[in-house]
Amino acid sequence: MQISKRLEAVASFVEQGSVIADVGCDHGYIPIYLYQKGMIPKAIAMDVNKGPLEKAKEHIRAEKLSGKI
């Protein structure tokens, strides 16, 4: 997955092997990106708004990561 330079900057703060919580996950790109890069074993993605959370779920399912994120 390709992400923007802004999201890459955010992702760069995550330490190898961390389990992360993406609060306000919007589209779910950061945990997907980090998992696919082998940086994290799993993540929790959450959002208070139903629309963005559904979009994140859609992206996570499309990448076959439902059991990891």
Side-chain angles (χ1 to χ4, degrees):
M1 165 172 282
Q2 294 286 74
I3 60 174
S4 70
K5 293 291 183 193
R6 180 180 65 87
L7 293 180
E8 275 186 14
V10 171
S12 73
F13 288 100
V14 175
E15 293 182 23
Q16 177 80 34
S18 297
V19 175
I20 66 161
D22 187 0
V23 179
C25 66
D26 192 30
H27 35 58
Y29 290 161
I30 290 176
I32 293 169
Y33 172 81
L34 289 169
Y35 185 83
Q36 289 178 337
K37 293 289 184 184
M39 291 292 297
I40 61 170
K42 62 182 177 177
I44 299 168
M46 62 189 89
D47 204 298
V48 297
N49 295 308
K50 186 176 181 174
L53 185 58
E54 289 303 316
K55 185 54 79 174
K57 287 180 182 179
E58 185 179 306
H59 291 144
I60 291 163
R61 278 192 295 266
E63 298 294 330
K64 297 181 178 27
L65 296 175
S66 296
K68 300 294 180 182
I69 302 171

